[in-house]
Amino acid sequence: MNADPLRVDTAAAGTVTTVVIGAGHAGLAMSRCLTELGIDHVVLERGEVGNAWRRERWDSMRLLTPNWQTRLPGFCYAGADPDGFMTAAEVAELIARYAVLSSAPVRTGTTVTGVRREGPGYRVATDQGSWRCRTVVLASGAHNLPAVPALAAHLPAEVRSLTAFEYRCPDQLDDGGVLVVGASATGLQLAEEIHRSGRPVTLAVGEHVRLPRVYRGRDIQWWMQAAGILDQRYDEVDDLERARGVPSPQLVGTPERRTLDLNALTECGVRLVGRVAGLRDRWLMFSGSLPNVCALADLKMNRLLDTIDEWIAAHGVPAGPVERFAPTAIAGKPPLGLDLGRGEIRTVLWATGFRPDYSWLHVPVLDRKGRLRHDGGVVDAPGLYALGLPFLRRRKSSFIHGAEDDARDLAGHLRRYLDERIERRRAHSA
Amino acid sequence: MNSRKVDNGVNVEALLGARDALAQAPEGARFNWRASCDWVNGTHSRSSVEGFYGLGGEQSHRTRFSFDSDHPEVFASEDNGPTPVEFVLVGLAGCLTAGVAAVAQNRQIQLRSVKASLEGSMDIQGILGIDSDVRNGFDDVKVVFEIDADATREEIEALVAQSQKRSAVFDIITNPTNVSVTVK
């Protein structure tokens, strides 16, 4: 390493077999697996370990998965509250402890500025010098940038527009009405907390995933894990592109394990409208498809519950009585538009999802929509891997507990890739 | 599971093949649908459709289709055909029903009968210019399906929901569209 912080730009930081980009749970899980396979590597982290959990989440955020489910290679939750849900700060703490526990070779405060092919491998440029390596693992996360519709740029100036990325707490917002756009876990949680702060919330609802927090006496995640649903593989699903685009389920982690769905929001006074469909001057238009997206979500939830019921019956697992939940109710006729010039809505909060940032990835592996081309995390360039993306290899891939199986699979693939190269070189020189 | 071969007359393999091919060549997915219309007399006009553009080239229906539209006698018209708003209902019905058949085929559900009843409600104070607060178009559209098929009620409801999700006309009616009307 270069000791002089002023002479860092072009200096060669070193040569290593594998560079892992990102010291979140996914990068550290991979680091652990690489260590087990004896592959020398570094983990580059722009901030601190678990940076996004420290700096890029709202204050009240908690994991959607219960504590008992939180695991990483060589680590299981052993705390006093297995049924509780970690705060973002606790997740950051856990990841930091895991990094120490695994003696992960992390270089913090190291921002990757460019990844390029060079010779038989890659050059990873950073603001702390550049690394040469055979293989690169992209573990920089799926939630680097907010995905906001283009019309957000054309809202009237007197309406404040912010994303779930910037949002921290209701006090940050002006008094008055708030339009929350998006009905995933984020949208529902923010809609509820903002509405309870005395700012009347309108929630724009597109396609969404409805789930009860607790079903037949256990957390829904317990059933999904036990019944093998979370282990469903990427090469087994009918429509992988669709599966990868499914928004996060409408769940919240609270001590009382309550269900947060659209009915609960309607009950506390949140107004539901359809998906944001267009903006004409100050007139924001909502789709008339609200009844159908709710019907779709209710039907899908019930199909999942049927699957769980069948699994319970087939395996004779003790469980509470079968439950079915009230269909999503839509009160009256939802408005199809809102005059943003009228002052009723003071803030528009975009909870419309996130996307990864690959602006530094100068390898031609993105498709026409800017998504990484990969086969279960094996990226379409030799020696390049990705981890921690939705449904990367399994339904659970984007969860913390989903990193272990994916990291083991991909570390194994990476090991074979390196071995085959050695074989090829030997054959060549023989 | 049903051991007989499910046949709703939909070539799902061809549709799925087209889906895969167009995902690789998205420019082929650009279609232009066309209609032309000649005024006949009064509120009576005759529209026709024949050619359209798609899959990278000019395409054509097997024949030219012609449609008369008019208004009923209660509007002091001659009733030479359905009203244009009824054509909108016809479009929605045709689109959703085709969708039900295609989704059913893909999900291996044999249909025996599918009947859709549609109703669009409208306050004609809008089109008559009596009250500017009343919109011209439908303020509500209701579609009721009666479906007889080898499937549970939930499976049938899922067919209908999925067909709305994939319907062009449902999207056209529920979401705004830029429309430019000019004079040559």
Side-chain angles (χ1 to χ4, degrees):
Chain A
M1 276 292 284
N2 196 319
D4 180 354
L6 296 174
R7 284 192 54 233
V8 291
D9 47 353
T10 54
T15 301
V16 71
T17 300
T18 301
V19 168
V20 179
I21 300 173
H25 72 274
L28 293 171
M30 178 55 99
S31 168
R32 177 85 171 214
C33 295
L34 293 174
T35 299
E36 285 170 7
L37 295 176
I39 298 170
D40 69 303
H41 64 282
V42 289
V43 184
L44 305 181
E45 170 54 55
R46 71 200 148 128
E48 301 166 63
V49 171
N51 203 57
W53 297 99
R54 291 176 201 278
R55 308 194 188 281
E56 295 173 357
R57 300 290 184 268
W58 63 95
D59 295 349
S60 67
M61 197 246 191
R62 285 174 184 269
L63 286 189
L64 302 180
T65 47
N67 290 337
W68 58 259
Q69 203 168 26
T70 301
R71 57 176 299 141
L72 286 163
F75 170 87
C76 279
Y77 177 84
D81 185 17
D83 292 325
F85 300 88
M86 269 175 234
T87 64
E90 286 166 343
V91 176
E93 217 31 62
L94 179 140
I95 294 174
R97 269 190 287 125
Y98 182 69
V100 173
L101 182 81
S102 335
S103 312
V106 180
R107 308 291 174 109
T108 55
T110 302
T111 301
V112 170
T113 55
V115 174
R116 288 185 170 73
R117 289 231 63 170
E118 188 180 273
Y122 295 90
R123 178 177 286 272
V124 179
T126 81
D127 59 353
Q128 308 291 321
S130 66
W131 291 86
R132 288 177 57 200
C133 56
R134 298 277 171 77
T135 52
V136 173
V137 179
L138 309 173
S140 44
H143 294 180
N144 309 124
L145 299 169
V148 173
L151 63 82
H154 306 291
L155 294 182
E158 60 270 29
V159 174
R160 186 170 165 211
S161 173
L162 86 165
T163 68
F165 212 68
E166 300 151 327
Y167 173 84
R168 290 293 171 273
C169 62
D171 291 347
Q172 199 184 353
L173 308 179
D174 294 336
D175 287 342
V178 178
L179 172 68
V180 176
V181 183
S184 65
T186 305
L188 262 68
Q189 290 180 25
L190 301 191
E192 185 186 43
E193 105 173 358
I194 293 167
H195 193 80
R196 290 197 189 284
S197 79
R199 295 165 180 85
V201 167
T202 302
L203 179 67
V205 179
E207 274 195 67
H208 55 271
V209 179
R210 182 183 178 194
L211 288 182
R213 176 79 269 177
V214 176
Y215 183 62
R216 299 185 69 175
R218 289 184 186 272
D219 195 284
I220 191 72
Q221 299 281 5
W222 193 92
W223 296 116
M224 289 175 70
Q225 179 166 317
I229 295 164
L230 295 176
D231 286 326
Q232 273 170 352
R233 286 176 53 95
Y234 76 109
D235 46 10
E236 287 170 358
V237 292
D238 280 344
D239 189 339
L240 181 59
E241 188 159 332
R242 187 160 130 206
R244 283 184 173 155
V246 168
S248 65
Q250 293 174 338
L251 287 173
V252 63
T254 62
E256 59 275 23
R257 302 205 290 170
R258 68 192 165 83
T259 292
L260 177 61
D261 58 13
L262 294 175
N263 283 346
L265 288 182
T266 301
E267 252 168 62
C268 77
V270 170
R271 175 173 62 169
L272 306 183
V273 296
R275 188 177 61 83
V276 168
L279 177 68
R280 211 162 272 167
D281 299 323
R282 294 162 173 276
W283 188 252
L284 189 62
M285 290 173 276
F286 305 119
S287 177
S289 63
L290 180 63
N292 191 48
V293 293
C294 293
L296 280 165
D298 289 350
L299 286 161
K300 276 184 202 152
M301 173 178 71
N302 287 335
R303 278 206 295 275
L304 174 72
L305 300 183
D306 287 343
T307 304
I308 290 172
D309 292 339
E310 285 160 19
W311 184 87
I312 290 171
H315 291 78
V317 175
V322 171
E323 299 169 82
R324 283 299 174 269
F325 304 92
T328 304
I330 294 161
K333 296 210 175 300
L336 295 167
L338 257 175
D339 182 356
L340 291 176
R342 220 172 53 201
E344 179 197 343
I345 298 293
R346 302 295 304 277
T347 308
V348 176
L349 176 53
W350 302 98
T352 35
F354 301 92
R355 60 190 174 87
D357 179 8
Y358 296 124
S359 56
W360 39 267
L361 182 59
H362 307 299
V363 185
V365 289
L366 301 184
D367 70 11
R368 66 191 169 91
K369 297 186 82 178
R371 295 168 306 195
L372 204 60
R373 283 198 315 272
H374 68 90
D375 179 14
V378 180
V379 181
D380 192 12
L384 192 59
Y385 296 86
L387 204 58
L389 300 178
F391 224 130
L392 183 92
R393 295 184 69 79
R394 294 168 178 86
R395 193 176 295 280
K396 66 184 177 185
S397 287
S398 53
F399 292 101
I400 290 178
H401 65 90
E404 177 167 6
D405 287 351
D406 288 2
R408 286 200 194 289
D409 289 353
L410 292 173
H413 190 287
L414 191 152
R415 172 81 268 171
R416 289 192 297 280
Y417 171 75
L418 293 171
D419 292 347
E420 282 164 18
R421 280 172 42 124
I422 293 166
E423 289 295 315
R424 273 201 306 277
R425 263 214 314 270
R426 277 197 195 126
H428 193 68
S429 55
Chain B
M1 236 1 233
N2 190 331
S3 59
R4 282 170 301 159
K5 192 164 163 47
V6 170
D7 184 6
N8 297 320
V10 179
N11 188 342
V12 166
E13 289 72 25
L15 290 176
L16 293 177
R19 185 176 184 268
D20 288 345
L22 291 176
Q24 302 306 315
E27 60 287 351
R30 170 57 57 186
F31 271 64
N32 278 313
W33 299 102
R34 301 183 191 126
S36 65
C37 179
D38 290 301
W39 173 61
V40 179
N41 183 46
T43 54
H44 179 201
S45 62
R46 187 168 296 132
S47 297
S48 62
V49 298
E50 186 173 18
F52 57 94
Y53 178 90
L55 306 177
E58 284 299 321
Q59 309 284 344
S60 186
H61 283 288
R62 281 203 314 197
T63 178
R64 182 182 176 90
F65 295 106
S66 185
F67 308 91
D68 286 82
S69 64
D70 201 351
H71 286 75
E73 289 172 355
V74 295
F75 284 78
S77 290
E78 291 178 350
D79 209 2
N80 290 296
T83 61
V85 296
E86 289 165 326
F87 275 107
V88 173
L89 295 180
V90 168
L92 180 61
C95 198
L96 291 177
T97 305
V100 165
V103 177
Q105 185 71 44
N106 194 32
R107 296 185 180 177
Q108 290 295 295
I109 293 172
Q110 180 64 53
L111 298 173
R112 282 185 289 272
S113 71
V114 179
K115 182 180 175 57
S117 307
L118 290 86
E119 198 174 283
S121 63
M122 180 189 286
D123 182 345
I124 69 162
Q125 291 187 86
I127 54 175
L128 293 176
I130 297 169
D131 185 341
S132 62
D133 290 337
V134 174
R135 71 182 283 187
N136 295 339
F138 293 134
D139 50 42
D140 200 42
V141 175
K142 285 193 167 63
V143 185
V144 178
F145 270 102
E146 291 168 80
I147 297 176
D148 181 17
D150 288 331
T152 64
R153 181 179 176 86
E154 284 224 322
E155 286 168 336
I156 289 172
E157 284 178 0
L159 288 181
V160 172
Q162 184 67 16
S163 120
Q164 291 168 74
K165 183 176 158 176
R166 288 274 166 261
S167 164
V169 181
F170 182 85
D171 172 62
I172 289 165
I173 294 177
T174 54
N175 294 313
T177 307
N178 284 316
V179 180
S180 65
V181 182
T182 55
V183 176
K184 200 152 146 183

